[in-house]
Amino acid sequence: MTMLKKLPEEILNLWNNWEIRGMVLLSLLLQTILIIIGSWRKTNARSWIRILVWSAYLSADTVATVALGNLARSQGDSSGDSSEKANNSIQAFWAPFLLLHLGGPDTITAYSIEDNELWLRHLLSLVVQVIVAFYVFSRSWGSGILTFIAIPMFVVGIAKYAERTWVLWSSCSKSLKNSSLSDFGDSYYLMRTPPQDLQGEYLLQAYVFSYVSKFVMQDLVPGIVELITSREMISKNNAYGAFKVVEAELGLIYDMLYTKAPLIYSRGGIILRCISSLLSVTAFITFQVKIDKHAYSTTDIAITYLLFAAAVFLEFYAFLCLVLSDWTMIWLIAKGGIALTSALYSLRRKLTRSERWSRSISQYNLISSSFESETHRCLELLGIDEMMKEMHVNRKDLKVDLQGFIFEHLREKAQKIKEDFNVFDKNLRSKIISQRGDGVLEREGLLKEYKWCTTEVEFSRSILVWHLATNICYRVDKDVSNISKEDEASRCLSEYMMYLSVIRPNMLSKGFSDEGYQETLRELRELWGLKYPDPFEEAYRRNLQELWGLKDRDPDDKGYQRALRALRNGESRVYDNGVFQRLWKTEKSVLRGVYALARQLLSLGPEKRWWMINEVWVEMVAYAAAHCPWKEHTHQLRRGGELLTHVSLLMLHLGLTEQYEFNEFKDSFSDLKGEEQEEYYNAREKFFKSTADMSGSSSNEEVKELKKIVADTKRELEREKQEREREKREFEQLRSYLTALAPQQGIDSLPRSLLAQTDDQGTGQPPSNNEISLSIE
């Protein structure tokens, strides 16, 4: 305030007149941004949207709270003329609107899932801000109509703020862990008579699956019945349909975690919304008809109209979102309103975007990014280097072909478990989801040749070496032949996994380190810094420089062709070399391994090569999806979504996860149909039999172990007995020898204690040479 007093009087008067007005208008602007753009982050992965929503979300509560504080301070001084008191009274009328702003829009209640855990803080804030708002209005309480118009707006404001607090509580981890799978069983009955419309069927399946997903995301354990039911339901779809189901399911989960959906799509929420809408419209009409506009400042009247318009628009927008939402369509399908559902779906396609996520896949090419200069150390300290990494990220539309490769790969594994009646075997499922390229290599009999770059190295190192080797194979085959769908899909997955390792490392398995990435990037930049191949460089580095030396190298270039011949004609079993193995295990950079792996892959035929590369990358994606924490998946929902999250849910519904467990007391197989019941019985019988066999074999192993211990003990005792007898014979021989050499009295003069030590005590230990020498002397 001391600084403000030093300002010119005109500026000081402007500040005093517009301090509260400016804060209220700013609060209104932030609410408008959140209403309109808050839901965009669900379907758009652009950074500017996240930054804008983040800034508005963090600022909205602070601005509204400060505005309420300024209103309380301004109402504290009751002095002044009648016009000033009138302005104070209409400004006090803004207090319930600020409560409405603190309640937030329906499209966003939490920026991140951690905000849901702060519901208790919001509850305390609710109590404090309501008290402040009542204080503000009580200071200007009068007999005018404005006082009575404020009452319904207070009710609406308090209701909105209470809604937000309740939604935050209902979406916190403790509340979600109290959820039950009984809702899954109840909703599954809706699928007994599926709708004729494909979109309706996708929505209904997504609704059923969302109960399992919500249960599993809290690290709770569903049973085998849920596994079989989910697998049969998702397996009926083709790849496109399965991804559409998961897309709709993630949309429902996003609504549950980040919006007011848990309340507004319930019966109580709809009733509350109708009451608040009616009160807002009534207050607005009354203000328009009954208030004398000339008694107040024109500016304040205009701001009041803006606040009313925003409040009414908020209610109308919420109603529109409610009518056009997936939740309403699901409710109509469940009630049998097929015609109305189709009409509503057509209206929704015309009025809104039909996407539920970005439907894109991020790409990061290490070779392209290595052409850029190294980030300055100062930028790394400021954290700007992470933003610069994202400048090298491109986004591609997710193609149906890629969806097909992934879904068919996962469905084949699930079908194999089903056919072998191994659905109860948690260890087998754990083994399958732990495969990161070694599964397909083992089936093809090639694991021995490729385990040095799959199972014997960290996952991050495996991604690096396969990414660069895939890049070489793609470039080589692109120069000599047409690129197939498998080639494009493999390259796409390769760059996607590289994107996850560099930009989203938290989504990959624990212990992920970027040391290998940094060292490989440094070596690549060293290669690009050389204008000509260095003859003193190792051969693999010279050849890589020729292959990658320029961004647009002509395929007919002599250096390129020489490097290509060296790559094709070189020894493909260099991985057996002891020197290579030692350097591969000690070096941080993966360029040596890249060259060796590229040689191996190029020794295969083109068709088999790209089929195997594609299968390895799909397994890597599945491995990453299975081992990514659910918390990270939920974080990505507010960033436009990730392919890895969709793959993770597909694996969950296909039963490719460790989280399903057999519980004899909780599993209710009566809900299963004929074929599903038969599978359940056969799988359970096989599981019990294998368990009994393991128990029996375990008992047999214990008996064998005991017998072995007894036999070893007997052999040890026998060996000790034989050793004592041997030592005794040696002593007797020594005694006979001494008797023959020494006079009789010499023998007789031997200490009796020595003889007694051997003969009487029976230890069988002969006297030492020193003792015998002393005795003879």
Side-chain angles (χ1 to χ4, degrees), residues 124-327:
L124 178 61
S125 178
L126 167 64
V127 175
V128 172
Q129 299 305 330
V130 168
I131 293 174
V132 172
F134 270 118
Y135 168 77
V136 169
F137 199 70
S138 66
R139 295 293 297 179
S140 61
W141 186 270
S143 58
I145 189 65
L146 194 62
T147 303
F148 296 97
I149 297 177
I151 294 174
M153 293 310 301
F154 262 113
V155 174
V156 174
I158 294 172
K160 285 287 186 181
Y161 206 169
E163 277 182 8
R164 182 183 183 186
T165 306
W166 186 89
V167 168
L168 290 172
W169 169 78
S170 65
S171 300
C172 72
S173 58
K174 186 176 181 180
S175 298
L176 291 176
K177 282 187 178 180
N178 293 328
S179 59
S180 172
L181 275 179
S182 60
D183 293 330
F184 170 77
D186 296 338
S187 61
Y188 180 64
Y189 282 104
L190 298 175
M191 297 303 301
R192 299 295 187 183
T193 55
Q196 302 296 324
D197 178 45
L198 268 180
Q199 294 297 329
E201 185 172 355
Y202 294 156
L203 273 178
L204 212 54
Q205 288 187 30
Y207 176 68
V208 175
F209 285 140
S210 65
Y211 287 104
V212 176
S213 302
K214 182 174 68 173
F215 195 77
V216 171
M217 284 181 178
Q218 302 306 313
D219 295 325
L220 301 175
V221 181
I224 301 300
V225 171
E226 286 77 26
L227 187 158
I228 295 175
T229 305
S230 299
R231 186 199 62 214
E232 292 304 307
M233 199 188 308
I234 196 70
S235 297
K236 294 176 182 178
N237 301 293
N238 56 19
Y240 174 79
F243 272 88
K244 291 293 289 184
V245 170
V246 171
E247 176 183 323
E249 178 187 0
L250 287 173
L252 299 178
I253 294 173
Y254 173 88
D255 292 341
M256 178 189 68
L257 294 176
Y258 296 109
T259 72
K260 291 185 179 180
L263 177 68
I264 62 177
Y265 297 123
S266 65
R267 181 176 301 176
I270 293 173
I271 294 173
L272 189 61
R273 190 50 44 90
C274 292
I275 294 173
S276 62
S277 300
L278 182 62
L279 291 176
S280 298
V281 173
T282 302
F284 177 57
I285 295 174
T286 306
F287 180 84
Q288 172 68 22
V289 174
K290 295 292 185 180
I291 294 297
D292 181 12
K293 314 300 187 299
H294 302 289
Y296 305 99
S297 167
T298 306
T299 304
D300 290 342
I301 290 294
I303 293 175
T304 307
Y305 270 119
L306 277 176
L307 292 173
F308 265 121
V312 173
F313 172 74
L314 181 64
E315 297 298 334
F316 174 75
Y317 186 78
F319 173 77
L320 193 63
C321 291
L322 175 64
V323 172
L324 299 178
S325 68
D326 288 338
W327 300 89

